[in-house]
Amino acid sequence: GTEARGGEGAARLGARACKQVMAVAASAVSVALSLLQRRGSLAAVAASATLSCASSPSSLARRCWLAVRRYSSEAKAGEEEELRVRYLDDEHKGIVVLGINRAHSKNALNKNVIKTISKVLEALKSDKKVRTVIFRSEVPGVFCAGADLKERSKMHSSEVSSFVSRARTTINDIANLPVPTIAAIDGIALGGGLELALACDIRVAVTSAKMGLVETKLAIIPGAGGTQRLPRIIGVSLAKELIFSARVVDGNEAKSIGLINHVVEQNEAGDAAYRRALALAREFLPQGPVAMRVAKLAINQGMEVDMLTGLAIEEACYAQTIPTKDRIEGLLAFKEKRPPRYKGE
């Protein structure tokens, strides 16, 4: 009798444990899938910016990689925009390039740049025509030198905390963009600059690039996700070593430790990493848009939970592709031996 009661108790505990696991899975899936349920047209994010390439009849507007959109709402007349946004066209249609453009400060992240990036991300995440986003520099020899220390030195302590929180949120928004993101590192990427790159799905750098989380030199720590994303990418022990030492690595070492996906030699134009990133983005374009979004979602959410919950997330994400027109088109194209014509539906 005692054994029978013990068996029943174990069964009840097992059932409760199973229900708890499934509840966690359901919660994770609910959070994950909520990202897929956002709909709506692309809103204007600045009064001086026009997001629709088709709105202008000129050939310059039709070829959107030549049409620079101005998002820096606080820039004064005569000043260069601090973030250039290009919607590419023709064989690159669906690729959006965000270029930081603060030559005088080595692309250091100030309040305005963070605010502007945040506005652009808000627009991009709801634009179903966007397939891949590339982050690059418009300044030769540099990706991003980190936070703007000149601006930081004038901040009150309370302002510093608020700014770092805003930067952390914005960089987290980069990580949560529903489409693939690529960081093209054609020069130095230090502190917050490297944290921005770490938030991207893929990183490409030139051999001469310099990368590091160097905040401990300033008696602070990485505050925009660096202490969390670097260990997840290269491993805990190595991440600690790099952060503790504030060490800077070049492109080859970064590739050897898994910090970046690809390393290339710099070219005369100084944009070899960007060119490699563009080639990668073109590889993504033929794939089903809905599948790309839910694949990223499944991977991102799954990496934060146990295997059982992760598999539940994968199942829920897979289910999102079954009723799509794109899935039927893929099967039909395979049968007819032709390239599929996906519409993201």
Side-chain angles (χ1 to χ4, degrees), residues 27-180:
S27 177
V29 171
S30 177
V31 171
L33 294 183
S34 67
L35 299 175
L36 298 174
Q37 296 169 351
R38 297 177 182 175
R39 293 295 184 268
S41 59
L42 183 64
V45 298
S48 62
T50 301
L51 297 184
S52 173
C53 295
S55 63
S56 172
S58 69
S59 59
L60 184 63
R62 285 195 298 269
R63 296 180 66 83
C64 291
W65 60 83
L66 298 178
V68 178
R69 278 132 178 102
R70 185 167 185 147
Y71 279 79
S72 184
S73 58
E74 297 179 9
K76 298 178 181 178
E79 290 183 354
E80 282 195 300
E81 60 277 15
E82 295 185 329
L83 183 71
R84 293 178 177 176
V85 182
R86 295 179 174 87
Y87 282 62
L88 308 193
D89 210 340
D90 293 347
E91 71 270 22
H92 298 112
K93 187 174 183 179
I95 301 172
V96 179
V97 181
L98 275 59
I100 305 176
N101 185 43
R102 300 191 72 220
H104 61 284
S105 61
K106 296 184 179 180
N107 285 347
L109 300 173
N110 64 355
K111 291 180 180 179
N112 188 55
V113 169
I114 292 297
K115 179 180 178 180
T116 306
I117 291 175
S118 180
K119 288 182 177 180
V120 175
L121 295 176
E122 187 65 27
L124 292 177
K125 69 183 181 183
S126 60
D127 186 351
K128 302 306 176 184
K129 294 182 180 179
V130 175
R131 305 287 293 277
T132 299
V133 177
I134 298 175
F135 290 84
R136 66 166 302 190
S137 167
E138 300 288 339
V139 181
V142 59
F143 178 73
C144 174
D148 189 331
L149 297 183
K150 289 184 179 180
E151 181 184 72
R152 179 77 60 87
S153 66
K154 300 175 184 178
M155 292 181 184
H156 186 271
S157 298
S158 61
E159 289 183 279
V160 173
S161 179
S162 177
F163 172 78
V164 173
S165 179
R166 180 67 182 272
R168 183 185 304 114
T169 297
T170 300
I171 288 179
N172 203 47
D173 286 343
I174 293 173
N176 289 330
L177 272 177
V179 297

Side-chain angles (χ1 to χ4, degrees), residues 254-271:
K255 177 65 170 65
S256 70
I257 63 177
L259 178 58
I260 61 175
N261 298 65
H262 303 277
V263 60
V264 293
E265 293 289 340
Q266 187 59 282
N267 57 24
E268 291 185 5
D271 65 352

